[in-house]
Amino acid sequence: MKKSLFLAVAMLVSGGAFASTEHYVLRDGNHVHHLKVTKIGEDVSVTTDIDFEPNSGEQGSKACSASISDDAKQVGANELVVKKQIPSEAHYCTLSIHLSADGAKIDQSEECGYFAAGICHFDSDGKELVRVK
């Protein structure tokens, strides 16, 4: 019994050694982007959420928020791709995430408008989300 308990605890501790989570944030006026990348062994999951209040040039627009969370595929040394299927559709929202030592940039496919409408979008518009250290 003691061996089983020790083995279970040892597996939990060793598994935790291979897990990491990184957070990235961009505030652009009243627009806030947040990206969370979690790596557990070879598995990578991504959660990105946005909260937009209209900026001065967006009068008449409504505030919005959205999020996407799914497993990611590592397609390069510093690039992740997330494909989230639109419910009951054959289309996918694709996010390409380009990581650097200090931040991340996000590009979105046209279909992502299903998840984020109005002034909301997951694309970082070429700006870098800063890595939180």
Side-chain angles (χ1 to χ4, degrees), residues 52-65:
F52 284 19
E53 293 284 334
N55 284 324
S56 60
E58 299 167 330
Q59 298 300 336
S61 298
K62 294 184 179 182
C64 57
S65 62

Side-chain angles (χ1 to χ4, degrees), residues 9-131:
V9 170
M11 286 175 46
L12 285 173
V13 171
S14 68
F18 298 110
S20 68
T21 300
E22 296 174 350
H23 291 269
Y24 302 86
V25 177
L26 171 66
R27 182 172 185 126
D28 185 19
N30 294 329
H31 300 179
V32 178
H33 293 256
H34 172 247
L35 172 68
K36 180 173 100 172
V37 178
T38 303
K39 297 179 183 179
I40 301 175
E42 297 292 317
D43 297 329
V44 180
S45 65
V46 169
T47 300
T48 184
D49 57 271
I50 51 177
D51 290 304
F52 284 19
E53 293 284 334
N55 284 324
S56 60
E58 299 167 330
Q59 298 300 336
S61 298
K62 294 184 179 182
C64 57
S65 62
S67 67
I68 289 182
S69 180
D70 212 339
D71 293 331
K73 183 182 279 188
Q74 186 117 22
V75 295
N78 296 318
E79 188 172 354
L80 301 172
V81 173
V82 177
K83 284 189 169 188
K84 182 74 171 182
Q85 185 172 10
I86 298 169
S88 71
E89 295 279 336
H91 301 283
Y92 289 85
C93 168
T94 303
L95 300 177
S96 297
I97 302 164
H98 309 278
L99 302 172
S100 69
D102 298 320
K105 292 182 181 180
I106 303 173
D107 296 319
Q108 74 175 37
S109 68
E110 197 172 309
E111 291 84 7
C112 293
Y114 177 85
F115 292 98
I119 60 173
C120 276
H121 56 277
F122 295 103
D123 196 288
S124 64
D125 299 321
K127 299 175 183 165
E128 190 168 64
L129 285 74
V130 179
R131 183 177 174 201

